[in-house]
Amino acid sequence: MFIVAQFFRILVIIANVLSMQMKNKKQIILMFILANLFSAINFILLQSYSGAIICLFAIIQTFINKIFEKKQQQVLKVIIGIYIVISIILGAITFNSLIDILPIICSILYTITIIQDKEKNIRRISLVNIVLWIIYDIVCQAYTAAISDLLMTISTIIGMYRFDFKRNKNEVEEQS
């Protein structure tokens, strides 16, 4: 099962690296869905159920949020609160050790990430989220996951440079 788990993590690597190189939110979110699906499978195969359940919940959140976006409505604050409570409950159900707190925090950060309107904010919050996942991956011996998240960190920083910092610098120079 360990080898099969690593195959799914390779798929996560591809989806994650692509996500931060996407220009618009819709494309970024689609890659997030794929990455979370493959991550959940990876964590299930590694018997790291806290991480798996949080990844599956992230997919559900994303689909619910897409319904609101299609109606051109903001996700209600009460729903965001429910997401956070569910994240805590899911984490508590699968809690085995202190490291299982990290997926709960990551789930809450994901909730905050996917309600952002600006891609710049998505990338910034994602960066913090990814670093926490790296710690979880290493402790759970999901080494391919840690490599995946490290590549995601690099991709996020590149995306931040390309779309956030470089663009802002060019806009400032044009205004001068």
Side-chain angles (χ1 to χ4, degrees):
M1 286 303 198
F2 183 79
I3 301 297
V4 176
Q6 303 319 306
F7 168 75
F8 280 99
R9 187 46 68 171
I10 290 168
L11 296 177
V12 173
I13 291 170
I14 294 167
N16 276 339
V17 169
L18 288 175
S19 72
M20 288 300 130
Q21 299 308 311
M22 298 295 164
K23 193 168 185 172
N24 67 54
K25 181 180 177 180
K26 187 175 183 177
Q27 295 168 329
I28 293 170
I29 298 298
L30 174 62
M31 291 296 121
F32 279 177
I33 291 170
L34 289 174
N36 275 303
L37 176 62
F38 298 141
S39 287
I41 294 168
N42 173 263
F43 284 129
I44 288 168
L45 294 172
L46 294 172
Q47 298 178 354
S48 296
Y49 300 113
S50 185
I53 199 161
I54 292 299
C55 290
L56 292 172
F57 180 58
I59 294 169
I60 294 167
Q61 286 182 64
T62 304
F63 280 117
I64 292 170
N65 289 8
K66 286 189 78 51
I67 292 169
F68 279 91
E69 284 183 20
K70 282 184 181 178
K71 294 180 179 181
Q72 297 181 340
Q73 296 176 343
Q74 292 282 348
V75 177
L76 302 173
K77 289 181 181 170
V78 72
I79 292 176
I80 294 166
I82 291 170
Y83 289 161
I84 292 170
V85 169
I86 290 172
S87 294
I88 294 167
I89 291 170
L90 291 175
I93 290 170
T94 59
F95 186 85
N96 284 321
S97 66
L98 285 178
I99 196 65
D100 292 330
I101 293 171
L102 289 181
I104 298 168
I105 295 168
C106 289
S107 181
I108 293 167
L109 287 173
Y110 184 80
T111 297
I112 295 167
T113 300
I114 61 174
I115 62 170
Q116 298 300 309
D117 291 326
K118 295 182 180 181
E119 292 81 4
K120 174 174 66 173
N121 293 337
I122 292 172
R123 283 185 271 276
R124 287 180 178 173
I125 300 167
S126 291
L127 186 60
V128 174
N129 197 351
I130 299 161
V131 170
L132 295 176
W133 275 116
I134 290 171
I135 296 166
Y136 181 78
D137 296 337
I138 291 169
V139 172
C140 293
Q141 299 180 345
Y143 301 118
T144 310
I147 293 168
S148 167
D149 289 336
L150 182 61
L151 291 172
M152 176 71 167
T153 301
I154 294 166
S155 180
T156 302
I157 292 168
I158 292 168
M160 290 170 82
Y161 174 75
R162 288 179 59 212
F163 298 116
D164 305 334
F165 301 128
K166 189 175 176 184
R167 181 181 299 162
N168 288 344
K169 183 181 174 187
N170 290 340
E171 289 172 3
V172 169
E173 287 175 359
E174 288 174 4
Q175 291 175 356
S176 298

